[in-house]
Amino acid sequence: MKKRLFISILSICLTASIAAQEKVWTMEDCMQYAVSNSPAVRKKTYEQEINKAEYTSAIANFFPSLDVGANARYNYGRSIDPETNMYKETTTFNNYYSGEANLPLFSGGQLINQWRSAKLNRQSGMNAIQKAKDDLALKVMQAYIDVVYYKGLMRYTSDKLEESRKNLHKSQRLVELGLKGKADLAQIEAEVANDDYLCTLQQNRYDMAISTLKEYMNYPIGEELEVGTVIIDSAYQPLTESVDDIYNYAQENNPTALQAGFDLRNSELKHLIQKGKLFPTIALYAGVNTSYFENLKSDVAPKSFNTQFKNNMGEYFGVSVRIPLFNRLNTVTEVRRARNNVRIAEETQSEILRQLQTAIEKAVLDREGYAKEITQMEKKLQAEEYSYQVTSRKYEEGLASSLDLRTSANLLLESQANLLHRKLMYLLKCKEVDYYKGVPLVIEN
């Protein structure tokens, strides 16, 4: 019974292991895995926790501060006797207690602007997390497309190598029958060697693409990563959309545009904070203090601690005003630096928005262009396939040379590769345009 149970458990584990190894990763799977395991995204998350703490601290600055203190001191030699308020040679013990509260009333707007800046940083932190996810997803998407492309080229070159070997076998028979010369046979042998080289080349490129994809995903290098196909069989129709409409939406919602706006607003608030340091600060303060005294060389017993603690207690309150007059021009310098940072942020935002508009326009134009090219490439591929079949038949009948067969085969491979590339790029540009329109790249579980 135990043996059968052990075998059953082992079979289940092996089945699960094989299933895990045979998993075919879709583009969405890769992007979700990358976002969930990205150190860059985790760092942005930790930075957001800091932003939340700073926001809480900015709110707390509006509340009064409270300080309490106590100290004990032994005096040797001449010191003031608290009972007579005269200097005398003695040894005393002094114990002081105090508490003070301080409430800022006016600080040139620094507190309110610090709170606004902390609140903005909290919003900016959330946007930075989303931007990090989107940037990583775009990289993974491009890397995935490269893997699928080279995987397709591997299949095409492998099929071409197999076809070339068949032609080599046919040519050897035709040479034996005297229907072909050795020159034609040499051409076919060279074609087989070239196709073998192309298979090795595409395999190396595929391995490099897989390595890049694993790097973006933070995927274990030693584990297998089997990607699926993303080619769709629907019609590739050009979709005419307004670039201005997409840009207007992205300008208000895209994380890249939002981040530029956050940076500009934050620099403006920092400028206001620095300007606030030029104004006077007003604060209200209040406190209480008391003390205990004992003459260690006196023959008279000191008053009790409770009595002195109560009798020596005093309270006070007041208003403090601090007027900055001169601090070696440090504040003026900081104000100028902050003002120039605002100007830099304005130019940076303008540049980022322009780049965003250009990226949107390029993505839309590329999508429309690839859709048109796919239609033409499909027709061209059909013609190349038919041409290759005819040329191959003519070669067998002695009506075409090996060079004609080689040229036709290369044109067929080129058309297959071009069509695959355009289909993949069309899919990539569709996702990019949808992203600018507000469709999320990654739907996290």
Side-chain angles (χ1 to χ4, degrees):
M1 181 65 182
K2 292 183 179 179
K3 184 177 180 179
R4 288 198 300 267
L5 180 60
F6 174 77
I7 294 175
S8 300
I9 295 175
L10 181 60
S11 300
I12 293 173
C13 294
L14 291 175
T15 303
S17 176
I18 294 174
Q21 294 177 359
E22 293 179 351
K23 177 182 178 180
V24 178
W25 290 73
T26 65
M27 182 186 293
E28 288 71 20
D29 292 337
C30 292
M31 290 191 293
Q32 288 180 0
Y33 184 93
V35 169
S36 301
N37 296 272
S38 170
V41 174
R42 287 198 292 265
K43 286 194 294 185
K44 292 297 181 181
T45 304
Y46 299 145
E47 290 176 3
Q48 176 62 2
E49 295 299 324
I50 297 176
N51 293 333
K52 291 180 180 179
E54 291 179 347
Y55 176 73
T56 303
S57 177
I59 294 177
N61 288 335
F62 290 100
F63 295 92
S65 62
L66 178 63
D67 296 319
V68 294
N71 64 66
R73 184 177 66 187
Y74 281 96
N75 289 336
Y76 299 92
R78 293 184 61 81
S79 61
I80 296 177
D81 186 349
E83 294 180 350
T84 62
N85 203 27
M86 297 179 62
Y87 280 97
K88 60 187 305 185
E89 189 79 18
T90 185
T91 301
T92 61
F93 171 74
N94 298 272
N95 193 197
Y96 299 95
Y97 301 90
S98 64
E100 181 176 293
N102 191 296
L103 177 64
L105 299 179
F106 177 75
S107 60
Q110 294 183 62
L111 293 181
I112 186 66
N113 288 323
Q114 288 172 356
W115 170 76
R116 290 173 178 172
S117 178
K119 182 179 180 181
L120 185 69
N121 287 336
R122 189 178 62 170
Q123 297 172 345
S124 176
M126 292 298 298
N127 183 76
I129 294 175
Q130 187 60 48
K131 185 177 183 301
K133 292 180 179 180
D134 291 346
D135 291 344
L136 179 60
L138 289 172
K139 290 181 180 179
V140 172
M141 187 166 59
Q142 179 64 64
Y144 189 93
I145 290 295
D146 292 340
V147 170
V148 175
Y149 175 67
Y150 289 120
K151 186 177 182 180
L153 289 186
M154 286 173 55
R155 184 174 68 252
Y156 293 148
T157 54
S158 178
D159 293 342
K160 187 174 183 296
L161 175 60
E162 183 179 356
E163 186 67 22
S164 296
R165 287 172 175 171
K166 291 180 180 179
N167 291 332
L168 176 61
H169 179 71
K170 293 177 183 179
S171 298
Q172 290 173 343
R173 293 294 298 166
L174 292 174
V175 170
E176 292 174 0
L177 296 175
L179 299 178
K180 289 290 181 181
K182 292 185 178 180
D184 291 327
L185 181 61
Q187 286 283 351
I188 299 299
E189 289 175 346
E191 183 69 11
V192 171
N194 182 68
D195 291 343
D196 194 12
Y197 162 74
L198 289 178
C199 287
T200 303
L201 177 63
Q202 301 306 331
Q203 178 67 53
N204 292 337
R205 291 177 175 176
Y206 173 79
D207 293 339
M208 290 298 297
I210 281 288
S211 177
T212 302
L213 179 59
K214 287 182 178 180
E215 178 184 357
Y216 289 150
M217 293 173 58
N218 197 26
Y219 191 83
I221 299 298
E223 296 186 11
E224 293 294 329
L225 181 63
E226 181 67 26
V227 302
T229 178
V230 294
I231 300 298
I232 54 178
D233 297 328
S234 59
Y236 298 87
Q237 297 294 336
L239 302 175
T240 304
E241 291 183 289
S242 173
V243 175
D244 292 336
D245 292 342
I246 299 176
Y247 171 70
N248 291 334
Y249 178 85
Q251 188 178 9
E252 301 294 333
N253 299 274
N254 187 267
T256 300
L258 292 177
Q259 195 63 40
F262 286 137
D263 292 341
L264 174 58
R265 180 55 181 162
N266 195 24
S267 64
E268 292 173 345
L269 290 173
K270 289 181 179 180
H271 181 218
L272 294 176
I273 292 173
Q274 294 300 328
K275 289 175 64 178
K277 294 180 180 179
L278 298 173
F279 294 88
T281 58
I282 304 175
L284 176 67
Y285 63 92
V288 60
N289 53 47
T290 186
S291 63
Y292 170 77
F293 168 79
E294 181 178 350
N295 190 339
L296 300 179
K297 291 186 176 182
S298 175
D299 296 332
V300 181
K303 295 180 181 180
S304 66
F305 178 84
N306 291 336
T307 301
Q308 290 193 45
F309 190 89
K310 181 178 179 181
N311 294 340
N312 296 339
M313 184 174 294
E315 297 88 12
Y316 62 92
F317 72 92
V319 177
S320 65
V321 179
R322 296 175 61 88
I323 302 176
L325 295 180
F326 182 73
N327 65 344
R328 301 183 298 276
L329 300 179
N330 289 337
T331 302
V332 175
T333 302
E334 292 298 327
V335 171
R336 292 175 179 174
R337 180 182 288 112
R339 182 173 64 246
N340 287 321
N341 285 336
V342 172
R343 295 168 179 171
I344 293 173
E346 289 175 348
E347 297 299 329
T348 301
Q349 184 189 39
S350 177
E351 182 181 6
I352 289 176
L353 292 179
R354 178 58 185 170
Q355 292 174 353
L356 178 63
Q357 186 178 21
T358 302
I360 293 174
E361 182 178 9
K362 187 176 184 300
V364 172
L365 292 177
D366 286 345
R367 185 188 62 177
E368 295 176 359
Y370 285 129
K372 295 176 182 177
E373 291 177 14
I374 288 172
T375 303
Q376 300 301 323
M377 285 303 304
E378 287 178 341
K379 296 178 181 179
K380 186 176 184 299
L381 179 59
Q382 292 178 357
E384 295 294 349
E385 288 176 346
Y386 178 75
S387 175
Y388 176 75
Q389 293 175 0
V390 172
T391 304
S392 178
R393 184 62 178 172
K394 287 183 178 180
Y395 176 77
E396 295 176 0
E397 295 175 355
L399 301 178
S401 65
S402 58
L403 182 60
D404 296 331
L405 182 63
R406 181 178 183 178
T407 301
S408 180
N410 290 336
L411 290 175
L412 176 59
L413 177 61
E414 182 181 355
S415 297
Q416 290 173 333
N418 288 336
L419 179 59
L420 175 62
H421 178 261
R422 280 153 179 79
K423 284 185 175 182
L424 291 172
M425 292 306 298
Y426 174 80
L427 177 63
L428 180 65
K429 295 304 176 181
C430 284
K431 288 187 173 294
E432 284 187 10
V433 174
D434 291 340
Y435 167 65
Y436 292 129
K437 291 164 60 178
V439 179
L441 290 172
V442 181
I443 301 177
E444 300 182 59
N445 296 328

